Structure formats: structure tokens, C-alpha cells
Amino acid sequence: MIAVSCIFCLPNTLEVAKIFKALSDDTRIKIAYALSIESELCVCDVANIIGSSNATASHHLRLLRNLGLAKYRKEGKLVYYSLDDAHVKQLIKVAFEHQKEVV
């Protein structure tokens, strides 16, 4: 148990909350899950997976990128996205494993 005097020693919980808030959106968790399975996907592939336009997929991917959950690389006119690192992939994996246990 955390002592009351140590509550102010906690890391920046607001930034962690932003990560969970981003992943609480059904579309973004679908994208993150797809990226946890594939090493990288182009925007058009993500749009097909989530059943949206390229613009909508790009919007969600940009939000994930801005929060440090995804990264991208350009190849000509195509933009490929992947999860930022193993921590993000593990977070997605653990969330889905937990969901299977509580159902």
C-alpha cells in the first residue's frame, strides 16, 4: 500500500491517463491491435481493417503517434505505421489477455 505522504511521489499520472484515454476508443484499440499483430501497416490497410476512409484512419494514427504509441515512416506517397516499441505491444497484448479472463 502506498503511504499517503508518498502520493505526491507518483510519476506523472496525467500522461499515463492520456495513453489509456487514447486506447479507450474502439477504433484506436482496433488499430493498435492490428499493429500488434503486423509489424507495420500502411494507412490504406488500416482503413480497410477498421472499415473507414483513409482520412479517418490517418486521423486516428496521428493521435496514436502524437502520444508516442505509434511511429511512422514514409515510402514515396505511402505512409507506414507501426507500434512505437515493445512496451506498447505488451500493453495491448496484456489488455486483450485480461479481457479474455474476465469474460
XYZ file of all heavy atoms in Angstrom:
804
model
N 0.845 -1.179 0.000
C 0.000 0.000 0.000
C 0.890 1.241 0.000
O 1.900 1.304 0.679
C -0.898 -0.035 1.223
C -1.876 1.078 1.284
S -3.040 0.765 2.614
C -4.291 1.861 2.151
N 0.497 2.239 -0.730
C 1.262 3.480 -0.830
C 0.915 4.365 0.360
O -0.251 4.590 0.658
C 0.946 4.233 -2.138
C 1.333 3.365 -3.339
C 1.636 5.569 -2.188
C 0.943 3.975 -4.655
N 1.943 4.852 1.020
C 1.730 5.767 2.140
C 1.176 7.083 1.616
O 1.497 7.517 0.513
C 3.044 5.998 2.880
N 0.337 7.723 2.415
C -0.286 8.979 1.998
C 0.767 10.014 1.647
O 0.633 10.747 0.678
C -1.225 9.511 3.109
C -1.777 10.872 2.739
C -2.359 8.534 3.357
N 1.843 10.069 2.385
C 2.877 11.066 2.124
C 3.608 10.815 0.804
O 4.245 11.705 0.278
C 3.880 11.106 3.274
O 4.541 9.859 3.363
N 3.478 9.595 0.269
C 4.187 9.259 -0.965
C 3.314 9.435 -2.207
O 3.778 9.260 -3.320
C 4.710 7.834 -0.891
S 5.927 7.480 -2.158
N 2.066 9.807 -2.037
C 1.191 10.009 -3.193
C 1.777 11.052 -4.130
O 1.689 10.936 -5.345
C -0.238 10.400 -2.751
C -0.925 9.180 -2.146
C -1.045 10.946 -3.908
C -2.307 9.434 -1.618
N 2.417 12.046 -3.589
C 2.987 13.105 -4.408
C 4.286 12.669 -5.084
O 4.830 13.393 -5.894
C 3.197 14.368 -3.575
C 1.894 14.884 -3.014
C 1.594 14.743 -1.675
C 0.954 15.473 -3.848
C 0.389 15.201 -1.167
C -0.251 15.931 -3.350
C -0.542 15.790 -2.000
N 4.769 11.467 -4.768
C 5.967 10.919 -5.393
C 5.639 10.147 -6.668
O 6.540 9.713 -7.366
C 6.683 9.971 -4.425
S 7.133 10.718 -2.865
N 4.359 9.967 -6.955
C 3.957 9.181 -8.113
C 4.437 9.826 -9.409
O 4.519 11.041 -9.515
C 2.432 9.045 -8.159
C 1.789 8.214 -7.065
C 0.269 8.298 -7.169
C 2.233 6.769 -7.147
N 4.704 8.982 -10.413
C 5.058 9.540 -11.717
C 3.884 10.332 -12.281
O 2.801 10.341 -11.725
C 5.347 8.307 -12.567
C 5.173 7.124 -11.719
C 4.685 7.554 -10.388
N 4.088 10.954 -13.399
C 3.071 11.811 -13.996
C 1.867 10.975 -14.443
O 1.826 10.465 -15.557
C 3.654 12.580 -15.170
C 2.721 13.663 -15.649
O 1.530 13.661 -15.345
N 3.256 14.585 -16.412
N 0.881 10.861 -13.574
C -0.297 10.043 -13.864
C -1.153 10.629 -14.974
O -1.842 9.896 -15.680
C -1.145 9.852 -12.598
O -1.487 11.139 -12.066
C -0.380 9.065 -11.540
N -1.111 11.913 -15.163
C -1.896 12.545 -16.223
C -1.453 12.055 -17.598
O -2.285 11.776 -18.473
C -1.788 14.069 -16.139
C -2.620 14.858 -17.143
C -4.100 14.536 -16.989
C -2.391 16.346 -16.953
N -0.154 11.911 -17.797
C 0.357 11.436 -19.089
C -0.028 9.975 -19.321
O -0.348 9.581 -20.442
C 1.877 11.613 -19.172
C 2.314 13.067 -19.196
C 1.667 13.871 -20.321
O 1.663 13.390 -21.474
O 1.171 14.973 -20.044
N -0.010 9.172 -18.270
C -0.433 7.773 -18.392
C -1.927 7.708 -18.694
O -2.370 6.913 -19.524
C -0.090 6.978 -17.111
C -0.650 5.561 -17.174
C 1.417 6.946 -16.893
N -2.701 8.565 -18.061
C -4.146 8.611 -18.320
C -4.426 8.947 -19.775
O -5.373 8.424 -20.377
C -4.812 9.619 -17.394
N -3.608 9.806 -20.384
C -3.786 10.159 -21.795
C -3.617 8.932 -22.689
O -4.331 8.771 -23.683
C -2.794 11.241 -22.211
C -3.118 12.613 -21.679
C -2.069 13.619 -22.142
C -2.293 14.984 -21.533
N -1.249 15.937 -21.966
N -2.679 8.063 -22.341
C -2.462 6.836 -23.109
C -3.699 5.957 -23.041
O -4.209 5.486 -24.062
C -1.222 6.073 -22.595
C 0.044 6.862 -22.907
C -1.157 4.665 -23.177
C 1.292 6.340 -22.226
N -4.204 5.743 -21.823
C -5.381 4.894 -21.671
C -6.620 5.526 -22.303
O -7.469 4.827 -22.848
C -5.622 4.548 -20.204
C -4.677 3.485 -19.712
C -3.595 3.820 -18.936
C -4.872 2.161 -20.048
C -2.715 2.841 -18.490
C -4.005 1.172 -19.618
C -2.919 1.510 -18.835
N -6.714 6.837 -22.251
C -7.840 7.519 -22.889
C -7.800 7.298 -24.403
O -8.835 7.026 -25.023
C -7.814 9.013 -22.575
C -8.990 9.771 -23.141
C -8.968 11.229 -22.750
C -10.152 11.961 -23.369
N -10.157 13.381 -23.031
N -6.626 7.405 -24.994
C -6.494 7.178 -26.432
C -6.875 5.750 -26.792
O -7.559 5.509 -27.786
C -5.070 7.472 -26.886
N -6.466 4.799 -25.975
C -6.748 3.395 -26.257
C -8.168 2.995 -25.877
O -8.614 1.901 -26.220
C -5.731 2.501 -25.549
C -4.296 2.624 -26.060
C -3.358 1.797 -25.204
C -4.203 2.217 -27.523
N -8.893 3.870 -25.181
C -10.268 3.538 -24.805
C -11.225 3.704 -25.982
O -12.367 3.253 -25.925
C -10.728 4.401 -23.629
O -10.892 5.745 -24.022
N -10.780 4.326 -27.048
C -11.591 4.474 -28.251
C -11.556 3.162 -29.036
O -10.483 2.622 -29.305
C -11.032 5.620 -29.104
C -11.810 5.810 -30.375
O -12.841 6.511 -30.329
O -11.398 5.237 -31.410
N -12.734 2.641 -29.392
C -12.835 1.351 -30.076
C -12.025 1.312 -31.371
O -11.337 0.333 -31.651
C -14.310 1.034 -30.359
C -14.495 -0.341 -30.958
O -14.044 -1.327 -30.328
O -15.071 -0.438 -32.056
N -12.073 2.371 -32.152
C -11.333 2.409 -33.417
C -9.836 2.366 -33.172
O -9.103 1.618 -33.830
C -11.707 3.667 -34.220
O -13.119 3.647 -34.472
C -10.954 3.731 -35.531
N -9.360 3.150 -32.206
C -7.913 3.183 -31.947
C -7.406 1.879 -31.346
O -6.277 1.463 -31.645
C -7.565 4.384 -31.093
C -7.669 5.683 -31.889
C -7.098 6.860 -31.159
N -7.894 7.286 -30.035
C -8.889 8.166 -30.095
N -9.210 8.717 -31.253
N -9.547 8.503 -29.016
N -8.221 1.208 -30.525
C -7.755 -0.072 -29.977
C -7.721 -1.123 -31.085
O -6.848 -1.994 -31.089
C -8.573 -0.530 -28.747
C -7.819 -1.623 -27.965
C -9.941 -1.019 -29.125
C -6.585 -1.177 -27.269
N -8.629 -1.033 -32.054
C -8.580 -1.939 -33.212
C -7.291 -1.708 -33.996
O -6.630 -2.661 -34.424
C -9.779 -1.713 -34.132
C -11.072 -2.275 -33.618
C -12.205 -1.946 -34.576
C -13.545 -2.366 -34.025
N -14.659 -1.979 -34.919
N -6.948 -0.452 -34.178
C -5.716 -0.116 -34.900
C -4.499 -0.629 -34.135
O -3.609 -1.263 -34.709
C -5.615 1.407 -35.129
C -6.700 1.878 -36.098
C -4.228 1.793 -35.643
C -6.844 3.389 -36.192
N -4.459 -0.374 -32.842
C -3.326 -0.816 -32.026
C -3.218 -2.334 -32.037
O -2.111 -2.886 -32.122
C -3.475 -0.292 -30.597
N -4.359 -3.014 -31.961
C -4.341 -4.481 -32.003
C -3.798 -4.971 -33.343
O -2.948 -5.875 -33.379
C -5.742 -5.035 -31.747
C -5.785 -6.539 -31.740
C -5.260 -7.266 -30.671
C -6.321 -7.241 -32.813
C -5.274 -8.648 -30.663
C -6.349 -8.628 -32.812
C -5.823 -9.323 -31.738
O -5.833 -10.696 -31.734
N -4.271 -4.376 -34.436
C -3.776 -4.768 -35.758
C -2.277 -4.543 -35.870
O -1.546 -5.382 -36.410
C -4.522 -3.996 -36.846
N -1.811 -3.420 -35.342
C -0.377 -3.128 -35.381
C 0.421 -4.026 -34.439
O 1.623 -4.200 -34.629
C -0.124 -1.655 -35.048
C -0.583 -0.652 -36.108
C -0.434 0.772 -35.591
C 0.190 -0.842 -37.401
N -0.223 -4.600 -33.442
C 0.478 -5.534 -32.558
C 0.665 -6.892 -33.229
O 1.540 -7.657 -32.853
C -0.260 -5.692 -31.227
O -1.425 -6.480 -31.374
N -0.171 -7.171 -34.233
C -0.071 -8.436 -34.967
C 0.873 -8.296 -36.159
O 1.706 -9.154 -36.413
C -1.471 -8.893 -35.441
C -2.332 -9.230 -34.222
C -1.379 -10.084 -36.382
C -3.785 -9.462 -34.530
N 0.728 -7.197 -36.893
C 1.588 -6.919 -38.052
C 2.704 -5.965 -37.635
O 2.479 -5.090 -36.811
C 0.771 -6.279 -39.178
C -0.307 -7.166 -39.743
C 0.250 -8.367 -40.504
O 1.330 -8.244 -41.112
O -0.412 -9.419 -40.483
N 3.863 -6.130 -38.218
C 4.976 -5.255 -37.831
C 4.723 -3.820 -38.264
O 5.098 -2.876 -37.569
C 6.296 -5.759 -38.396
O 6.228 -5.828 -39.809
N 4.082 -3.634 -39.424
C 3.699 -2.301 -39.872
C 2.589 -2.418 -40.904
O 2.457 -3.448 -41.573
C 4.883 -1.493 -40.404
C 5.464 -1.970 -41.701
C 6.599 -1.072 -42.189
O 7.072 -0.186 -41.466
O 7.012 -1.281 -43.339
N 1.807 -1.361 -40.990
C 0.697 -1.307 -41.952
C 0.650 0.084 -42.561
O 0.910 1.073 -41.878
C -0.636 -1.582 -41.253
C -0.870 -2.990 -40.702
C -2.069 -2.997 -39.767
C -1.065 -3.983 -41.834
N 0.282 0.143 -43.844
C 0.100 1.455 -44.462
C -1.283 1.983 -44.075
O -2.149 1.235 -43.623
C 0.270 1.400 -45.974
S -1.019 0.515 -46.844
N -1.486 3.267 -44.245
C -2.742 3.908 -43.864
C -3.914 3.239 -44.574
O -4.966 2.994 -43.953
C -2.708 5.419 -44.170
C -4.055 6.055 -43.920
C -1.630 6.107 -43.336
N -3.751 2.898 -45.844
C -4.860 2.286 -46.583
C -5.224 0.912 -46.019
O -6.408 0.554 -45.963
C -4.558 2.217 -48.081
S -3.041 1.382 -48.503
N -4.236 0.149 -45.557
C -4.520 -1.146 -44.924
C -5.263 -0.949 -43.604
O -6.205 -1.676 -43.303
C -3.230 -1.931 -44.675
C -2.616 -2.472 -45.966
O -3.351 -2.618 -46.968
O -1.401 -2.745 -45.953
N -4.833 0.020 -42.832
C -5.514 0.314 -41.564
C -6.956 0.735 -41.839
O -7.887 0.286 -41.153
C -4.758 1.404 -40.769
C -5.573 1.873 -39.574
C -3.400 0.884 -40.321
N -7.167 1.555 -42.855
C -8.523 1.987 -43.210
C -9.405 0.791 -43.556
O -10.564 0.728 -43.129
C -8.474 2.978 -44.374
N -8.859 -0.161 -44.296
C -9.623 -1.370 -44.636
C -9.943 -2.188 -43.398
O -11.049 -2.711 -43.265
C -8.864 -2.230 -45.646
C -8.892 -1.647 -47.035
O -9.843 -0.974 -47.415
N -7.845 -1.893 -47.800
N -9.000 -2.311 -42.492
C -9.205 -3.096 -41.271
C -10.309 -2.503 -40.406
O -11.156 -3.220 -39.877
C -7.882 -3.219 -40.475
C -6.905 -4.125 -41.234
C -8.128 -3.733 -39.058
C -5.484 -4.085 -40.712
N -10.302 -1.185 -40.269
C -11.296 -0.548 -39.395
C -12.559 -0.129 -40.146
O -13.509 0.365 -39.536
C -10.707 0.652 -38.621
C -10.268 1.766 -39.576
C -9.571 0.199 -37.722
C -9.843 3.045 -38.877
N -12.577 -0.329 -41.451
C -13.757 -0.003 -42.253
C -14.037 1.485 -42.337
O -15.167 1.929 -42.159
N -12.993 2.250 -42.617
C -13.159 3.701 -42.689
C -12.422 4.252 -43.903
O -11.781 3.519 -44.650
C -12.599 4.358 -41.423
O -11.190 4.341 -41.441
N -12.490 5.557 -44.035
C -11.737 6.223 -45.096
C -10.268 6.343 -44.678
O -9.931 6.207 -43.491
C -12.302 7.623 -45.344
O -12.076 8.434 -44.196
N -9.420 6.621 -45.648
C -8.006 6.857 -45.347
C -7.839 8.061 -44.421
O -6.973 8.052 -43.541
C -7.213 7.083 -46.626
C -6.968 5.813 -47.401
O -7.365 4.729 -46.977
N -6.339 5.936 -48.549
N -8.671 9.080 -44.611
C -8.570 10.285 -43.780
C -8.886 9.975 -42.317
O -8.188 10.448 -41.415
C -9.517 11.366 -44.310
N -9.909 9.171 -42.079
C -10.267 8.799 -40.703
C -9.164 7.960 -40.073
O -8.775 8.194 -38.926
C -11.609 8.044 -40.684
O -12.621 8.911 -41.189
C -11.969 7.586 -39.285
N -8.669 6.988 -40.825
C -7.581 6.143 -40.311
C -6.360 7.000 -40.001
O -5.725 6.843 -38.945
C -7.230 5.060 -41.326
N -6.036 7.917 -40.892
C -4.883 8.792 -40.704
C -5.043 9.652 -39.452
O -4.079 9.854 -38.702
C -4.708 9.668 -41.938
O -3.557 10.460 -41.815
N -6.247 10.141 -39.217
C -6.523 10.945 -38.019
C -6.230 10.142 -36.751
O -5.547 10.631 -35.839
C -7.988 11.403 -38.035
C -8.465 11.941 -36.732
N -8.137 13.201 -36.274
C -9.232 11.372 -35.767
C -8.680 13.385 -35.084
N -9.358 12.294 -34.756
N -6.739 8.915 -36.678
C -6.520 8.081 -35.501
C -5.046 7.697 -35.354
O -4.509 7.680 -34.231
C -7.399 6.831 -35.563
C -8.845 7.114 -35.325
N -9.339 7.484 -34.093
C -9.905 7.082 -36.156
C -10.649 7.662 -34.172
N -11.017 7.429 -35.419
N -4.397 7.399 -36.454
C -2.975 7.050 -36.401
C -2.140 8.237 -35.943
O -1.194 8.069 -35.168
C -2.508 6.570 -37.780
C -2.996 5.175 -38.169
C -2.905 4.979 -39.673
C -2.209 4.115 -37.420
N -2.486 9.432 -36.383
C -1.766 10.633 -35.963
C -1.895 10.830 -34.455
O -0.917 11.161 -33.772
C -2.297 11.853 -36.711
C -1.461 13.104 -36.524
C -1.971 14.298 -37.347
N -2.429 13.947 -38.683
C -3.719 13.937 -39.064
N -4.664 14.272 -38.225
N -4.046 13.607 -40.298
N -3.083 10.602 -33.919
C -3.276 10.743 -32.477
C -2.412 9.732 -31.722
O -1.749 10.081 -30.738
C -4.749 10.547 -32.117
C -5.112 10.954 -30.703
C -6.486 11.579 -30.676
C -5.057 9.780 -29.755
N -2.397 8.492 -32.196
C -1.554 7.470 -31.558
C -0.078 7.849 -31.645
O 0.675 7.654 -30.690
C -1.802 6.103 -32.198
C -3.185 5.489 -31.961
C -3.358 4.224 -32.793
C -3.408 5.197 -30.484
N 0.319 8.402 -32.776
C 1.715 8.840 -32.949
C 2.054 9.992 -32.012
O 3.110 9.998 -31.371
C 1.959 9.254 -34.402
C 3.421 9.576 -34.678
C 3.637 10.140 -36.054
N 3.277 11.555 -36.033
C 2.549 12.171 -36.949
N 2.074 11.515 -37.986
N 2.278 13.448 -36.849
N 1.151 10.961 -31.901
C 1.405 12.120 -31.041
C 1.527 11.744 -29.570
O 2.186 12.460 -28.804
C 0.315 13.172 -31.233
C 0.400 13.855 -32.587
O 1.427 13.794 -33.255
N -0.678 14.471 -32.997
N 0.916 10.643 -29.182
C 1.015 10.178 -27.794
C 2.179 9.215 -27.589
O 2.367 8.684 -26.498
C -0.296 9.508 -27.366
C -1.451 10.477 -27.145
C -2.751 9.727 -26.945
C -1.167 11.382 -25.954
N 2.947 8.964 -28.637
C 4.110 8.084 -28.511
C 3.761 6.607 -28.549
O 4.571 5.773 -28.164
N 2.556 6.276 -29.028
C 2.155 4.875 -29.100
C 2.484 4.256 -30.451
O 2.609 3.039 -30.572
C 0.649 4.739 -28.832
C 0.194 5.195 -27.448
C -1.326 5.185 -27.361
C 0.811 4.326 -26.374
N 2.608 5.094 -31.472
C 2.911 4.606 -32.817
C 3.980 5.495 -33.441
O 4.217 6.619 -32.998
C 1.650 4.609 -33.678
N 4.620 4.950 -34.453
C 5.604 5.722 -35.220
C 5.336 5.458 -36.693
O 4.572 4.545 -37.038
C 7.026 5.325 -34.836
C 7.357 3.859 -35.049
C 8.725 3.518 -34.520
C 8.966 2.005 -34.666
N 10.245 1.621 -34.085
N 5.928 6.257 -37.553
C 5.682 6.087 -38.982
C 6.953 6.283 -39.784
O 7.937 6.823 -39.316
C 4.596 7.046 -39.465
C 5.062 8.478 -39.601
C 5.397 8.998 -40.845
C 5.178 9.317 -38.505
C 5.821 10.312 -40.990
C 5.598 10.628 -38.624
C 5.915 11.119 -39.866
O 6.343 12.412 -40.008
N 6.866 5.796 -41.003
C 7.911 6.037 -41.990
C 7.229 6.230 -43.336
O 6.159 5.669 -43.598
C 8.927 4.897 -42.044
C 8.395 3.625 -42.628
C 9.480 2.535 -42.742
N 8.909 1.337 -43.337
C 8.789 1.108 -44.641
N 9.243 2.005 -45.512
N 8.254 -0.002 -45.103
N 7.836 7.068 -44.173
C 7.278 7.337 -45.496
C 8.090 6.597 -46.542
O 9.316 6.506 -46.460
C 7.307 8.834 -45.800
C 6.309 9.629 -45.007
C 6.311 11.077 -45.440
C 5.249 11.846 -44.680
N 5.143 13.231 -45.145
N 7.358 6.070 -47.509
C 7.988 5.424 -48.660
C 7.247 5.930 -49.891
O 6.155 5.449 -50.200
C 7.883 3.902 -48.531
C 8.701 3.149 -49.551
C 8.710 1.661 -49.264
O 9.228 1.258 -48.208
O 8.185 0.916 -50.113
N 7.811 6.923 -50.531
C 7.120 7.573 -51.632
C 5.890 8.292 -51.098
O 5.980 9.074 -50.167
N 4.723 7.979 -51.669
C 3.480 8.596 -51.211
C 2.822 7.811 -50.075
O 1.865 8.288 -49.468
C 2.495 8.727 -52.372
C 2.926 9.737 -53.410
C 1.864 9.902 -54.467
C 2.285 10.970 -55.468
N 1.233 11.242 -56.441
N 3.314 6.619 -49.807
C 2.716 5.783 -48.767
C 3.332 6.077 -47.408
O 4.531 6.352 -47.293
C 2.898 4.301 -49.095
C 2.148 3.779 -50.317
C 2.491 2.320 -50.559
C 0.642 3.946 -50.135
N 2.495 6.004 -46.382
C 2.946 6.171 -45.004
C 2.663 4.868 -44.276
O 1.531 4.364 -44.296
C 2.225 7.346 -44.310
C 2.710 7.496 -42.879
C 2.426 8.635 -45.096
N 3.691 4.308 -43.658
C 3.573 3.051 -42.930
C 3.679 3.337 -41.433
O 4.570 4.059 -40.991
C 4.680 2.079 -43.331
C 4.529 1.569 -44.739
C 5.108 2.250 -45.807
C 3.807 0.410 -44.995
C 4.969 1.781 -47.104
C 3.665 -0.060 -46.290
C 4.244 0.626 -47.335
O 4.109 0.167 -48.623
N 2.778 2.722 -40.666
C 2.767 2.892 -39.219
C 3.097 1.578 -38.535
O 2.793 0.495 -39.043
C 1.390 3.362 -38.747
C 1.162 4.840 -38.938
C 0.707 5.341 -40.146
C 1.417 5.736 -37.908
C 0.503 6.697 -40.326
C 1.224 7.099 -38.081
C 0.762 7.564 -39.281
O 0.566 8.915 -39.457
N 3.703 1.701 -37.361
C 3.974 0.553 -36.500
C 3.853 1.030 -35.056
O 3.840 2.236 -34.795
C 5.373 -0.009 -36.770
O 6.358 0.971 -36.527
N 3.756 0.078 -34.137
C 3.753 0.465 -32.729
C 5.121 1.013 -32.383
O 6.133 0.603 -32.954
C 3.394 -0.724 -31.847
C 1.966 -1.247 -31.997
C 1.734 -2.445 -31.084
C 0.933 -0.166 -31.713
N 5.158 1.936 -31.442
C 6.407 2.638 -31.137
C 7.486 1.715 -30.591
O 8.638 1.838 -30.958
C 6.150 3.779 -30.157
C 7.363 4.666 -30.000
O 7.784 5.259 -31.008
O 7.905 4.739 -28.880
N 7.122 0.796 -29.696
C 8.121 -0.110 -29.143
C 7.459 -1.321 -28.501
O 6.233 -1.466 -28.529
C 9.044 0.609 -28.152
C 8.313 1.184 -26.943
O 7.201 0.745 -26.629
O 8.869 2.093 -26.312
N 8.274 -2.175 -27.913
C 7.777 -3.412 -27.305
C 6.855 -3.140 -26.116
O 5.963 -3.941 -25.840
C 8.951 -4.285 -26.874
N 7.058 -2.020 -25.419
C 6.183 -1.701 -24.280
C 4.741 -1.523 -24.727
O 3.813 -1.999 -24.082
C 6.642 -0.417 -23.569
C 7.965 -0.542 -22.924
N 9.070 0.119 -23.413
C 8.370 -1.242 -21.854
C 10.103 -0.168 -22.652
N 9.713 -1.000 -21.695
N 4.551 -0.837 -25.836
C 3.199 -0.593 -26.355
C 2.579 -1.917 -26.790
O 1.421 -2.210 -26.474
C 3.221 0.420 -27.517
C 1.825 0.644 -28.060
C 3.844 1.737 -27.072
N 3.355 -2.735 -27.486
C 2.861 -4.040 -27.925
C 2.464 -4.888 -26.724
O 1.421 -5.543 -26.723
C 3.928 -4.751 -28.755
C 3.440 -6.019 -29.401
C 4.486 -6.583 -30.347
C 3.940 -7.803 -31.051
N 4.841 -8.294 -32.091
N 3.273 -4.857 -25.674
C 2.980 -5.624 -24.468
C 1.708 -5.108 -23.793
O 0.889 -5.890 -23.310
C 4.161 -5.560 -23.504
C 3.971 -6.400 -22.270
C 5.175 -6.339 -21.342
O 6.065 -5.515 -21.508
N 5.195 -7.218 -20.366
N 1.532 -3.802 -23.763
C 0.345 -3.196 -23.172
C -0.917 -3.694 -23.881
O -1.901 -4.076 -23.235
C 0.439 -1.673 -23.249
C -0.685 -0.860 -22.646
C -0.755 -1.081 -21.142
C -0.474 0.612 -22.945
N -0.894 -3.717 -25.202
C -2.033 -4.187 -25.990
C -2.268 -5.677 -25.733
O -3.397 -6.117 -25.495
C -1.805 -3.933 -27.502
C -1.552 -2.453 -27.782
C -2.962 -4.471 -28.329
C -2.610 -1.516 -27.290
N -1.203 -6.443 -25.746
C -1.300 -7.888 -25.531
C -1.902 -8.195 -24.160
O -2.817 -9.014 -24.047
C 0.092 -8.525 -25.653
C 0.115 -10.006 -25.428
C 1.533 -10.564 -25.500
C 1.530 -12.036 -25.115
N 2.881 -12.541 -24.909
N -1.411 -7.536 -23.127
C -1.902 -7.770 -21.769
C -3.368 -7.370 -21.642
O -4.165 -8.068 -21.008
C -1.024 -7.020 -20.732
C -1.664 -7.010 -19.364
C 0.357 -7.652 -20.678
N -3.758 -6.272 -22.271
C -5.152 -5.817 -22.212
C -6.081 -6.868 -22.818
O -7.131 -7.180 -22.243
C -5.303 -4.482 -22.931
N -5.711 -7.429 -23.963
C -6.558 -8.432 -24.598
C -6.541 -9.752 -23.842
O -7.569 -10.439 -23.765
C -6.175 -8.610 -26.070
C -6.809 -7.574 -26.952
C -6.152 -6.386 -27.230
C -8.072 -7.765 -27.472
C -6.749 -5.413 -28.021
C -8.681 -6.799 -28.267
C -8.009 -5.621 -28.542
N -5.415 -10.117 -23.249
C -5.373 -11.329 -22.414
C -6.269 -11.161 -21.195
O -6.999 -12.085 -20.820
C -3.931 -11.628 -21.983
C -3.072 -12.176 -23.098
C -1.617 -12.358 -22.697
O -1.244 -12.026 -21.528
O -0.832 -12.798 -23.535
N -6.220 -10.017 -20.591
C -7.047 -9.749 -19.412
C -8.537 -9.796 -19.779
O -9.349 -10.349 -19.052
C -6.704 -8.396 -18.791
C -7.544 -8.064 -17.611
N -7.417 -8.736 -16.400
C -8.546 -7.175 -17.441
C -8.300 -8.259 -15.565
N -9.011 -7.296 -16.162
N -8.881 -9.224 -20.913
C -10.271 -9.203 -21.361
C -10.810 -10.630 -21.518
O -11.948 -10.908 -21.172
C -10.372 -8.425 -22.680
C -11.781 -8.243 -23.200
C -12.257 -9.382 -24.073
O -11.475 -10.077 -24.718
N -13.542 -9.602 -24.082
N -9.985 -11.548 -22.017
C -10.420 -12.943 -22.163
C -10.692 -13.595 -20.805
O -11.575 -14.423 -20.680
C -9.342 -13.751 -22.905
C -9.237 -13.414 -24.367
C -8.103 -14.195 -25.012
C -7.861 -13.762 -26.429
N -6.704 -14.434 -27.019
N -9.940 -13.193 -19.789
C -10.093 -13.770 -18.445
C -11.349 -13.288 -17.734
O -11.924 -14.018 -16.942
C -8.876 -13.449 -17.588
C -7.619 -14.132 -18.040
C -6.398 -13.698 -17.242
O -6.551 -12.911 -16.272
O -5.292 -14.149 -17.578
N -11.751 -12.069 -17.987
C -12.888 -11.503 -17.237
C -14.230 -11.775 -17.905
O -15.265 -11.474 -17.328
C -12.723 -9.987 -16.972
C -11.522 -9.724 -16.089
C -12.643 -9.201 -18.262
N -14.218 -12.314 -19.087
C -15.475 -12.600 -19.790
C -16.006 -13.948 -19.381
O -15.377 -14.878 -19.097
C -15.277 -12.537 -21.320
C -16.508 -13.009 -22.052
C -14.933 -11.131 -21.714
